[in-house]
């Protein structure tokens, strides 16, 4: 099967390794054009849980990437989702399948809504988190961290969910599971909750470019802040009638830790087990902040306001990061506008 992956970062290359090893034909497209330059004509090597060497096609434009592709995977940071949507709506063809991996700020809903308005019957499936973790190492190597055993997905229109889950299981295996509800995906992305606290409390390490362990950075006090952020996330989700698991329960399920184990002990155990990997970010242009604050924290704050649920810690974190960067992260999320009618007032055509 020919599969187009939109993105050339660690997650995109991780998917490319997984799909190439599975016998699929993979083509990558970089929206900026820069990410694919050093990959063209190179043999890509993946290490970790997926060990594979492969070559892939780099498309010069989106139309070439989508040509003859049965499936399309959006594997960029959320910052690129809005410009990609504008390009994808006129370029996608009926019969193609789209996966947003992973979604923040209900970008998948906006893509589905705009496809519906354009008269195109193209289903969009969104994941609450990526199927794997990975980072680029050098120009043509990708280091796979973990490959998840399960990942929830939601499709719009909802009537196509069964068919789409079955399709993506053919691509990735039985790892995909249907989400309990569409908004469940929105509230289940835990990256902002963990990343914001870790980045805020280790900011000087990041700015100084120090080498530090991501999990070792989550001390007992940082874990306290993470859990406080998590309580606000859960409160907003509850206001929308959505039950999502706590971060600690997620760690219990994902990593096999016993119930009741303190979060800091879990992260300490992960630090030891993974021998200090993954490393923490070493530049303030890290997605832990530039993606997770506007598309995670700002969005949770926004949804909380719609239901009169206070999120004082999210608000404080947004203000602190905005002060640190001397920029307003609240105005950097293009999804917070009237287009959110398809979230707060669902579009019947997508039901």
């Amino acid at each position: 099967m020919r599969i187009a992956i939109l993105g050339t970062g660690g997650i995109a290359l991780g998917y490319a390794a997984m799909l190439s090893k599975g016998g699929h034909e993979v083509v990558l497209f970089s929206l900026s054009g820069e990410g694919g330059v050093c990959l063209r004509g190179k043999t890509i090597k993946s290490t970790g849980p997926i060990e594979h060497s492969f070559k892939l096609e780099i498309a010069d434009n989106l139309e070439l990437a989508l040509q003859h592709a049965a499936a399309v995977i959006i594997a960029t940071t959320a910052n690129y989702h809005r410009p990609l949507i504008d390009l994808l709506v006129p370029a996608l063809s009926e019969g193609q399948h789209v996966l947003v991996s992973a979604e923040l700020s209900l970008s998948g809903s906006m893509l589905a809504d705009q496809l519906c308005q354009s008269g195109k019957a193209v289903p969009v499936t969104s994941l609450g988190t990526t199927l794997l973790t990975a980072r680029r190492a050098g120009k043509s190597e990708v280091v796979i961290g973990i490959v998840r055993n399960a990942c929830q997905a939601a499709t719009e229109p909802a009537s196509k969910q069964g068919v789409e889950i079955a399709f993506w299981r053919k691509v990735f295996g039985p790892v995909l599971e249907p989400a309990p509800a569409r908004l469940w995906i929105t509230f289940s992305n835990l990256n902002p909750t963990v990343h914001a606290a870790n980045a805020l409390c280790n900011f000087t390490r990041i700015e100084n470019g120090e080498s530090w362990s991501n999990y070792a950075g989550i001390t007992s006090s940082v874990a306290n802040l993470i859990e406080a952020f998590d309580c606000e996330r859960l409160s907003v989700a509850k206001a929308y009638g959505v039950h999502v698991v706590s971060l600690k329960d997620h760690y219990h399920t994902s990593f096999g830790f016993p119930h009741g184990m303190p979060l800091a002990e879990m992260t300490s155990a992960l630090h030891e087990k993974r021998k200090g990997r993954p490393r923490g970010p070493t530049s303030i242009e890290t997605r832990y902040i530039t993606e997770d604050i506007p598309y995670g924290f700002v969005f949770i704050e926004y949804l909380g306001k719609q239901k009169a649920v206070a999120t004082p810690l999210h608000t404080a974190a947004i203000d602190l990061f905005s002060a640190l960067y001397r920029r307003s992260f609240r105005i950097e999320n293009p999804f917070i506008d009237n287009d959110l009618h398809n979230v707060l007032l669902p579009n019947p055509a997508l039901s």
Side-chain angles (χ1 to χ4, degrees), residues 122-330:
V122 179
V124 178
T125 301
S126 301
L127 302 182
T129 190
T130 55
L131 291 168
L132 48 75
T133 63
R135 61 179 177 84
R136 285 183 65 161
K139 293 183 178 180
S140 57
E141 183 177 348
V142 58
V143 179
I144 311 292
I146 61 172
V147 178
R148 303 188 198 280
N149 295 322
C151 192
Q152 282 69 35
T155 300
E156 294 177 272
S159 60
K160 298 293 184 182
Q161 174 142 307
V163 173
E164 290 305 297
I165 295 292
F167 171 82
W168 288 107
R169 281 177 172 171
K170 290 179 181 177
V171 176
F172 291 112
V175 60
L176 261 70
E177 301 173 351
R182 177 65 188 86
L183 279 177
W184 192 93
I185 293 293
T186 296
F187 292 114
S188 293
N189 192 323
L190 294 168
N191 282 343
T193 301
V194 178
H195 291 169
N198 209 9
L200 182 62
C201 296
N202 290 280
F203 192 82
T204 54
R205 286 178 169 177
I206 296 172
E207 190 169 23
N208 286 332
E210 296 177 16
S211 177
W212 60 289
S213 169
N214 186 64
Y215 285 119
I218 303 177
T219 61
S220 295
S221 298
V222 177
N224 291 340
L225 180 57
I226 289 172
E227 290 190 74
F229 283 147
D230 200 42
C231 284
E232 292 188 352
R233 175 185 67 93
L234 296 171
S235 295
V236 176
K238 183 179 179 181
Y240 283 84
V242 179
H243 173 73
V244 291
V245 299
S246 69
L247 176 68
K248 288 178 69 174
D249 284 343
H250 168 76
Y251 272 41
H252 163 75
T253 302
S254 297
F255 305 116
F257 291 119
H259 283 296
M261 186 176 184
L263 178 61
E265 290 185 19
M266 297 187 203
T267 56
S268 177
L270 287 170
H271 169 69
E272 294 297 328
K273 180 179 180 180
R274 297 184 178 177
K275 304 184 187 307
R277 294 188 175 88
R279 308 305 295 170
T282 55
S283 166
I284 63 171
E285 293 307 312
T286 171
R287 66 180 180 86
Y288 280 25
I289 300 168
T290 60
E291 177 186 28
D292 288 330
I293 296 304
Y295 293 92
F297 268 42
V298 170
F299 196 64
I300 290 292
E301 178 192 57
Y302 172 83
L303 292 180
K305 287 179 179 178
Q306 307 312 302
K307 295 289 187 179
V309 177
T311 55
L313 290 174
H314 279 69
T315 296
I318 297 164
D319 290 340
L320 286 170
F321 279 116
S322 294
L324 285 167
Y325 282 73
R326 289 190 174 181
R327 65 198 245 198
S328 175
F329 281 108
R330 285 189 180 84

Side-chain angles (χ1 to χ4, degrees), residues 85 89 106-120 122 124 156-157 338-343 345-350:
I85 288 172
V89 171
L106 283 159
S107 56
S109 289
M110 177 173 285
L111 174 56
D113 187 61
Q114 292 194 9
L115 285 166
C116 180
Q117 290 182 31
S118 70
K120 291 187 176 182
V122 179
V124 178
E156 294 177 272
N338 290 332
D339 288 321
L340 279 175
H341 73 272
N342 64 319
V343 178
L345 297 172
N347 183 344
L350 295 176

